[in-house]
Structure formats: C-alpha cells, structure tokens
Amino acid sequence: MWEKWLIYIRRLKALVIKELIVLLKDPGSRKILIVPVVAQAVLFGYGATYNLEHIPWALYDGDRTPESQEVVRVLTHNPLYGLIADDDDFSAFQQRIDNGEALIGVVINPGFAQKFNQGRGEVMIVADGRNITTANVATNYTVSALLDAYPPTPTPAGIKMVSRLRYNENNITRWYIMPGMILAISMIQVLILSSLTVSREREDGSFDMMLMTPTTAVEIFIGKAIPPILVGIVQAFIIFAVCLFWFKIPLQGSTFSILVLVSLFSLSCVSLGIAISTMTRSILESLVVSFILLVPTIVLSGLMTPIESMPHWMQEVTIFNPIRYPIEALRLVYFEGATLMDIVPYFWPMGLLFVLTTPLAIYLFRRQVN
C-alpha cells in the first residue's frame, strides 16, 4: 500500500519538476512570468491613481485688492499648484482652459473685497471637464484648500462639520487599487499559464510522448495544475511585497491569512485554465480565450471602481464573479485586520468555481489523454 503511494508521489513529483523546467526554459513563458508583474506594479502603482501630484491653474483677478491677493496666496504657496498665467483679460483666461493649458481656473470678480468684508466673498472655480475625474479631484482639492484658509461661519446652532476617512486617511488611490492587484495578478498568471499547458505541448509535439508514460490522466492533470498555482502564489506575493515595502501600504492583518486566501483562489482558477487549454488547439487560441474571460472579470471585480457605483443589474451580475468577493476579503484582512475565520463567508465564489470547473477540466483532459 505504502509502496503504491510512494510510486504515485514520485511520478507526480517528476511531472511537476518537468512542467516547471518547461515553464522556466520557454522564452514566451518567461516573459509571462516577469513582464506582467513589473508592468502591473508600475502601471497601477504610479499610473492608475486619481490623486494629483501637480495642478496647473490660471487666475483671473478682476478685483486686485489686498483681500483678493490674500486668497490667491493660499494657492500660490501650495506646492501642489502651479500658476501658469495671471490674466487681466477674461477671454485670455478662458483660452487657457479651452487649450488645456490649465486644469482649473480661479475667478475673482470685481467687488470681491467689499463682499468679503461683509462675509459674502465669492470665488469661482472653473475646471476642464473633458477629463471629469481629474476635474472633480482638482476642484475638491481647491475647495478644501480655500475652506481650510477661510472656514465658513458657524451655523446658528453652533455646529461644525468634521469629516475623516478611516483606513485610508489621506485618500490615496494607490491604497485602494494595489492590494486588489495581489489577487488580480494571481488570476492572470494562473489562468494564462494553465491555459497553455496542453496547447503548448500539442504545438511542440510532446503531448503524444507524454501519453506514453505510465502516468494516469488524473496524475497528469495534477502535475500540470501545481506549477501554475505555485507561480501564481509567488507572483501575488511579489505584488504584496511591493505594496508593503515599496509603497508603504500598512498591513493590519496577518500574512498567513493572505497566503491562504491567495492559495485557495489560485486553486479555484487553475481548472478553468486547463479546461481552456484542452478545448483550444494552439497557444494563440488559448491566450485569446483567456483574455476574453479576464477583461470583464477584472473590470467587474471592484478592483478599480466600487461595485456600488455600477448599475443595479450589473451589481447582480458581479455576484458570480469569482474574484469579486476574494478582493473584498483581502481588503478586510489588509486594512481592517480581519482573521481567517472572518473571511470564510467570502470563500463561496471560489468554491463554486472549483466545483464547476474541476470536473469539466478533468473530463475534457481525460478525453484528450484517452
């Protein structure tokens, strides 16, 4: 009995080593292993952010009084703002916005000082709405800066409104996106690598030679599933290290909980990739099908935009998205310090994907082998 299991483990070990060697020696696979991680870390860490590092702005001060100049100094002394023009002609000021030279424009109309001394000072902010996201962010930054310098008078009841963000006090977009990339990268790597397992061997002509070995279909299936899972876990933890040590996003939960979550998620995705590989006849077909599945899955996962901001019918569709709830669970662990038991209710989409795809993948794989 034990000898039989020992032989089984040895065959499985040999298959896993063989798959890893093929994976690491293939130039195309090496590109998949290295390029996406570097590209995604740079793209999402630095590029995919709603936080503005520089706001070019134009000024039209029609009052030119000490009061109006004091308001202007609030922005000129802020290193975030770069004044590109102080126009006396309003049409020239408008042209700055129209040409895209300035992201926002600040308008102080004649008579500002008199109204200001009466408690009715008004400053108009004009934003370039062609990029509505940056326009809203720049407008909110400017309003906040001016309100901090000139807070409104208290309400008759003496109430002062104070707001504060929890878990992301400085409202840094990177903190929202990068932890989700831990699972997104894992899914991309596992799905693509596992989808190439059979199609690559079919193109190389080694698939028939593999069938001549004494291994069973289930052993071959497991041997081909383990390397993508290992690669997905390693890639996910590279992104995790980037989040923790490069971007300094503080971790509140345990690394072990993240490891378990990433491992289970990778396990749930690998069968889908192998099923794709058995149904396609070339590497190109496998990649096309994988990307067709990956794009809507990640877009509707809540990685970049909140699920709550989507139309109601689309929110219902995302319930069956296998990466939506794992991303929510990972953010609970990362930001709120949730334990492994706290996130168990979020595991059901991964279990559903595993239950549905694994029998299908094994059935299709057996058909290929037999």
Side-chain angles (χ1 to χ4, degrees):
M1 179 68 180
W2 288 108
E3 291 181 359
K4 184 178 179 180
W5 277 103
L6 187 60
I7 293 172
Y8 173 80
I9 292 173
R10 285 177 178 174
R11 288 203 301 256
L12 194 59
K13 178 183 175 182
L15 280 171
V16 172
I17 294 174
K18 173 255 182 188
E19 288 294 323
L20 286 172
I21 291 174
V22 171
L23 192 65
L24 295 175
K25 283 193 172 183
D26 180 47
S29 298
R30 287 202 300 269
K31 291 177 182 177
I32 294 175
L33 293 177
I34 299 172
V35 175
V37 179
V38 177
Q40 299 288 355
V42 173
L43 176 64
F44 288 93
Y46 290 104
T49 175
Y50 301 139
N51 301 108
L52 297 177
E53 303 294 336
H54 177 69
I55 301 177
W57 67 293
L59 171 67
Y60 171 73
D61 185 358
D63 199 48
R64 299 291 177 181
T65 58
E67 289 83 357
S68 67
Q69 290 300 303
E70 189 64 32
V71 173
V72 171
R73 272 192 287 272
V74 173
L75 299 182
T76 54
H77 288 177
N78 190 325
L80 186 65
Y81 293 84
L83 181 63
I84 63 168
D86 182 359
D87 294 307
D88 294 322
D89 182 17
F90 189 74
S91 61
F93 165 83
Q94 287 182 310
Q95 195 68 25
R96 309 283 184 188
I97 306 295
D98 295 340
N99 293 339
E101 298 177 45
L103 180 57
I104 63 168
V106 176
V107 179
I108 302 177
N109 290 313
F112 169 81
Q114 182 179 358
K115 293 180 179 180
F116 178 82
N117 293 324
Q118 296 173 357
R120 297 184 294 110
E122 184 178 277
V123 177
M124 182 170 68
I125 300 171
V126 181
D128 184 354
R130 286 169 291 195
N131 188 334
I132 191 62
T133 301
T134 54
N136 286 333
V137 172
T139 301
N140 292 334
Y141 280 4
T142 307
V143 170
S144 297
L146 293 177
L147 288 180
D148 287 343
Y150 298 97
T153 56
T155 60
I159 299 174
K160 181 181 180 181
M161 302 301 295
V162 179
S163 63
R164 180 183 176 186
L165 291 173
R166 296 192 62 191
Y167 311 117
N168 189 359
E169 288 81 1
N170 295 320
N171 193 23
I172 302 174
T173 310
R174 185 181 299 127
W175 285 29
Y176 177 78
I177 295 176
M178 286 301 292
M181 288 302 301
I182 295 172
L183 289 180
I185 283 291
S186 177
M187 183 175 190
I188 292 171
Q189 293 293 341
V190 171
L191 193 61
I192 291 179
L193 291 176
S194 59
S195 69
L196 299 178
T197 52
V198 177
S199 56
R200 181 179 57 227
E201 295 220 30
R202 191 181 286 116
E203 283 195 2
D204 293 341
S206 59
F207 188 72
D208 293 336
M209 295 178 61
M210 180 182 61
L211 301 183
M212 297 172 63
T213 62
T215 53
T216 64
V218 174
E219 289 173 349
I220 296 175
F221 178 86
I222 296 174
K224 287 187 171 296
I226 291 177
I229 293 174
L230 294 177
V231 170
I233 294 172
V234 171
Q235 299 280 26
F237 269 79
I238 291 175
I239 297 295
F240 172 65
V242 171
C243 294
L244 194 59
F245 300 112
W246 183 260
F247 291 118
K248 308 294 184 182
I249 304 175
L251 173 66
Q252 302 299 328
S254 69
T255 305
F256 177 74
S257 298
I258 294 179
L259 174 62
V260 172
L261 179 60
V262 171
S263 301
L264 293 177
F265 181 69
S266 300
L267 179 63
S268 69
C269 294
V270 71
S271 296
L272 179 59
I274 294 179
I276 292 172
S277 186
T278 56
M279 290 186 292
T280 55
R281 297 193 172 276
S282 67
I283 293 177
L284 182 59
E285 286 184 23
S286 299
L287 290 174
V288 170
V289 174
S290 297
F291 278 108
I292 288 175
L293 291 175
L294 281 170
V295 171
T297 301
I298 293 178
V299 168
L300 299 178
S301 66
L303 173 66
M304 300 292 295
T305 56
I307 299 292
E308 294 76 12
S309 65
M310 300 177 185
H312 182 72
W313 66 269
M314 191 172 288
Q315 294 182 35
E316 299 294 331
V317 172
T318 62
I319 291 176
F320 300 99
N321 189 341
I323 195 176
R324 171 188 170 177
Y325 290 106
I327 284 181
E328 291 183 10
L330 188 139
R331 285 172 174 158
L332 288 175
V333 174
Y334 205 108
F335 293 116
E336 300 183 31
T339 64
L340 197 58
M341 294 304 298
D342 294 331
I343 62 175
V344 167
Y346 294 86
F347 288 175
W348 72 266
M350 295 184 291
L352 181 63
L353 179 64
F354 182 79
V355 169
L356 292 178
T357 59
T358 301
L360 175 64
I362 293 176
Y363 169 74
L364 294 172
F365 194 79
R366 275 179 169 168
R367 287 185 59 186
Q368 293 287 334
V369 172
N370 298 328

